[in-house]
Amino acid sequence: MSHAPVSHETSGPEPDNLRTTVNTPGALGLYFSVNAFLSRICLQVAVIGTLLIVAAVLYQIFGRYILNDSPAWTEIFALVVMLYTTCFAAAVGVRDGRHIGMDSLLNLAPPVFHLLADIIVYLGMIIFGLAMAWSGSELAVEMAPYINPGLPISQAWSYVPLAVGGLLIALFAVERIVAAVLHIKVIPSWH
């Protein structure tokens, strides 16, 4: 099993001796390996989800314009799968450091400001992720008795990705803070 390493993005050339999560020993290395595994699973779910969305939309078009009998389930199916795809891909984006950021002023600042900015950003992501997980869980529980129109599944399945994605965002943001403080390189999940 290959492990996707963790990297702290730095401006300029990276030192050759920068540790990665792959070569981090002990419990911390295990923590990084578990996060890398979870991130790869999320990425695979997002890719499969994208393919399922495309298939559902194509089937909807085929049913509507060729068969003249539009299937009722394809729209809600595509919407539910899009929630999973988006939330899991967002979590991978946090772990891989691919979130939106404005580095122009930070590039002129000393390295200690880079570290402080990273910590502040990832602390915000932890708070956001935990709030998303809490709210998604509450909504899933409240909506569990209701069935989606057109697709015979509970409406709770539309809120589960918010809960899981929020938890993963928080987990991966903690990893990014640890990696930044210890100067450990996070290698993206898709490598």
Side-chain angles (χ1 to χ4, degrees):
M1 173 168 100
S2 67
H3 301 293
V6 176
S7 75
H8 173 64
E9 277 76 23
T10 59
S11 55
E14 296 178 359
D16 291 335
N17 61 356
L18 188 65
R19 284 190 306 165
T20 67
T21 53
V22 170
N23 59 15
T24 302
L28 190 57
L30 178 62
Y31 171 70
F32 289 145
S33 296
V34 168
N35 281 351
F37 174 76
L38 289 173
S39 182
R40 279 192 309 278
I41 295 296
C42 288
L43 190 59
Q44 291 168 355
V45 167
V47 168
I48 291 168
T50 302
L51 295 174
L52 288 172
I53 292 167
V54 169
V57 169
L58 289 175
Y59 185 68
Q60 174 73 21
I61 292 168
F62 177 77
R64 180 176 293 161
Y65 296 109
I66 306 297
L67 301 177
N68 201 25
D69 184 22
S70 187
W73 62 271
T74 54
E75 183 178 353
I76 191 68
F77 175 79
L79 288 173
V80 170
V81 173
M82 186 178 294
L83 290 169
Y84 283 87
T85 301
T86 304
C87 289
F88 288 7
V92 172
V94 169
R95 183 180 182 277
D96 290 354
R98 301 287 180 220
H99 53 85
I100 297 172
M102 299 188 73
D103 294 334
S104 57
L105 292 178
L106 276 179
N107 287 337
L108 303 173
V112 70
F113 286 111
H114 290 255
L115 178 61
L116 289 174
D118 280 348
I119 290 172
I120 291 168
V121 165
Y122 287 113
L123 284 174
M125 287 183 192
I126 291 168
I127 293 167
F128 173 79
L130 292 175
M132 188 170 132
W134 177 265
S135 300
S137 299
E138 282 188 338
L139 286 168
V141 169
E142 289 178 19
M143 299 306 288
Y146 302 102
I147 303 299
N148 274 320
L151 187 65
I153 62 170
S154 170
Q155 287 188 4
W157 290 108
S158 297
Y159 299 102
V160 168
L162 296 174
V164 176
L167 191 59
L168 288 168
I169 286 171
L171 180 71
F172 294 155
V174 168
E175 178 185 26
R176 294 298 299 203
I177 290 174
V178 171
V181 169
L182 299 178
H183 304 288
I184 296 175
K185 181 176 179 172
V186 178
I187 294 178
S189 304
W190 46 271
H191 277 133

